[in-house]
Structure formats: structure tokens, C-alpha cells
Amino acid sequence: MSKSNSFKEKFKKFIAGNGFYAILAVCLVGAGAAAWVTVNNTIDSIDENNKIIEQKQSSSAEMPSWDFDKAEKTENKKDDIKIETKKEKSEKTETAKPKNQTEEKPAEKKENTEEKKEQTEEKKENKTLRPQPVTFIMPVEGNIITAFSNGKLVKDPTLDEWKTHNGVDIKVPVGSAVVACADGKIEKIYKDKLWGCVIEVSHSDGTTAHYCGIEPINNIKEGDIVRNRQQIGKTIQIPCEIAVEPHLHFAMKQDGKWINPLKHMGMEK
């Protein structure tokens, strides 16, 4: 018990003296050593993680080389790789559209062009068919013995009945020369039971002249173009007007209606 008591006293004296600082120093050294070990382990762990990351990056960085090798096999050189601009992308997108969409605009343009062409042709035709001034003359020289009735009924001495007289009767001997009253085209030459032989001639003002009781001369036929004062035939008898003096029954139509030929030609007010 004396020895243990003496040791305790000595230890207390040591602690009371410089021993406290020695113990503190030992503790600090131990703590520093422990901290160093911890830091060292942490650094080693970081280094190992960095190595793993570098390996992954190196492996991922090598991936494009495979694509490049593939490009070499397909004879695509690295220099041919081109970065597309926004304009090129938009053009590429438009090119990739379905054919029915890309071809609609040219088709519409073509249709519009054809419509305009047809309208232009129609205008030309209308311009060509527009009535033109025509110079008229009398087809024969003689007196008017029966006038245009303008829709009124008159007594027909041959048929002994009342009916309209849709032309004028010009008194001339049988066999008198008949000339075209204006430039025109012979549309029809035919025989009628009542009016005998008839020649119809169309004119550029939209009128058609009817020569009734006329025998066409030998060289006149349908489709011929005739000129003003050109002879087209000679007068003969008219069956439905045989009771009247020999004459040429001369009539004119416009827009499908009978008109007064003398008034239209400017020879009657």
C-alpha cells in the first residue's frame, strides 16, 4: 500500500508539473496520426475513383473511332463531313416531304396557266366573233312590190291565206343576175317546196341573208367565201309566190329572228 501511494503521489506531482504538457503532446500526436491516416485513405480513394473515371472517359472517347473506321469502309472521308446550316436543314426537310405535297404547287401553277390560256383564247375568239361593220348593196335592181310585214299578217294571193311576210320582194325578170349583198360565207344551198331554191349567206355582223327563188351558178357551193357584188345565181319562179310578178324574195335574220333587210342595210328609215 505504501508503494502504490508513493506512485500516486509522484504521478500527481508529475501532472502538477510539466507532465500535463507531455501527455497533451502525446494525445495531439496520436490525433494527428489518426487524422493523417484518414486523409491518406481519403486521397487514395479519390485517386482510385479518378482512375476509374479516366478509364471510362478514355473508353468513351474511343467510340467515335469505330464510326470513323466505318466511314472509311464506306469511302466517306473525314473531310467530307459537313455541318448543315439552318437553310440546308429546311431545304432537306422540304425535299423529304411526300410527293403529293411537293407536286401540288407545280400542278396548281400548271392548272392556273392553262386556265389563263383558255381565258385568253376565249377573249380572242370573242374579239374575232364581235360584229364588224359591213357594207351592203341591193342583190338585184328593181322595185319593192311586197314590203317586210314586221310580224303583221298579210294576205298571200298565191296560197289565199293570211301570214307574215318576213322579207321583201324585189321585182326583176326571171333569169336576172343575183349578187351577194356583202362579203360573207355560203352556209347553205337547198331546195324548199314553197320557196324554191334558197341560198343562205352569213356575214361578219352576225346576220344571215336568205335569197329565195334563186338558181346558183355552177361554181358556187356551200362553204365558199363570196365578196360584195359577186354573182351567186339568177332568179327563178317561187312556188309560194307564183301569183306575184317575177321577183327575188330577199330576207335577213339576226340572232335567230327575222329583221327588215332594207332597214338593216341602211336603205330604209
Side-chain angles (χ1 to χ4, degrees):
M1 294 294 293
S2 59
K3 287 182 181 180
S4 60
N5 291 332
S6 62
F7 177 76
K8 290 180 179 179
E9 290 177 357
K10 288 180 181 180
F11 184 75
K12 289 179 180 178
K13 288 179 181 181
F14 176 77
I15 294 300
N18 295 327
F20 175 77
Y21 295 102
I23 292 171
L24 180 62
V26 171
C27 291
L28 290 173
V29 170
W36 169 254
V37 171
T38 302
V39 171
N40 188 32
N41 290 335
T42 302
I43 291 171
D44 291 340
S45 178
I46 291 171
D47 289 340
E48 186 176 355
N49 290 333
N50 288 336
K51 288 180 181 179
I52 293 170
I53 292 170
E54 288 177 356
Q55 289 177 357
K56 290 182 179 180
Q57 290 178 347
S58 62
S59 63
S60 62
E62 291 176 356
M63 290 300 293
S65 64
W66 292 101
D67 293 337
F68 181 72
D69 292 341
K70 186 177 180 180
E72 285 182 346
K73 289 180 181 180
T74 56
E75 296 182 0
N76 292 330
K77 296 183 179 179
K78 186 175 180 181
D79 294 338
D80 294 336
I81 298 173
K82 184 178 180 181
I83 299 174
E84 294 181 347
T85 62
K86 290 183 179 180
K87 184 177 180 181
E88 291 174 343
K89 286 182 179 179
S90 63
E91 290 176 353
K92 187 175 181 181
T93 304
E94 290 179 357
T95 306
K97 288 181 180 179
K99 290 184 178 180
N100 58 351
Q101 293 181 1
T102 56
E103 293 178 356
E104 283 179 0
K105 290 183 178 180
E108 289 177 359
K109 290 181 179 179
K110 186 177 180 181
E111 290 177 359
N112 293 334
T113 304
E114 290 178 354
E115 288 179 0
K116 290 180 179 179
K117 186 177 179 181
E118 289 177 358
Q119 291 175 359
T120 304
E121 290 177 354
E122 287 178 358
K123 288 180 180 179
K124 287 181 179 179
E125 289 178 358
N126 293 334
K127 187 176 180 181
T128 304
L129 296 176
R130 185 179 297 172
Q132 300 295 325
V134 180
T135 302
F136 291 98
I137 62 168
M138 291 295 289
V140 291
E141 293 184 4
N143 296 325
I144 305 298
I145 55 177
T146 310
F148 177 72
S149 69
N150 196 23
K152 295 180 181 180
L153 296 177
V154 294
K155 185 69 176 287
D156 185 335
T158 303
L159 302 176
D160 194 22
E161 62 182 27
W162 293 84
K163 65 176 187 176
T164 59
H165 193 256
N166 298 321
V168 293
D169 293 339
I170 308 170
K171 182 181 177 181
V172 288
V174 174
S176 299
V178 180
V179 299
C181 66
D183 294 346
K185 177 183 177 182
I186 297 179
E187 298 292 345
K188 293 180 181 180
I189 300 177
Y190 60 95
K191 288 184 179 182
D192 186 86
K193 291 181 179 180
L194 295 176
W195 297 103
C197 190
V198 180
I199 297 178
E200 295 182 9
V201 180
S202 62
H203 305 291
S204 60
D205 65 346
T207 58
T208 303
H210 294 247
Y211 303 82
C212 303
I214 177 176
E215 183 181 354
I217 57 177
N218 295 333
N219 59 340
I220 290 294
K221 61 184 181 300
E222 292 181 356
D224 285 352
I225 301 298
V226 293
R227 301 300 177 187
N228 190 316
R229 299 181 186 277
Q230 179 181 338
Q231 184 177 354
I232 58 175
K234 57 184 180 179
T235 59
I236 55 176
Q237 293 287 349
I238 301 175
C240 68
E241 295 181 346
I242 193 82
V244 183
E245 298 178 84
H247 64 278
L248 172 71
H249 181 89
F250 179 64
M252 192 172 285
K253 268 187 176 182
Q254 186 174 43
D255 299 328
K257 296 180 180 180
W258 295 108
I259 61 173
N260 187 341
L262 299 181
K263 188 173 181 180
H264 183 75
M265 292 190 296
M267 300 175 185
E268 184 180 284
K269 293 183 179 180

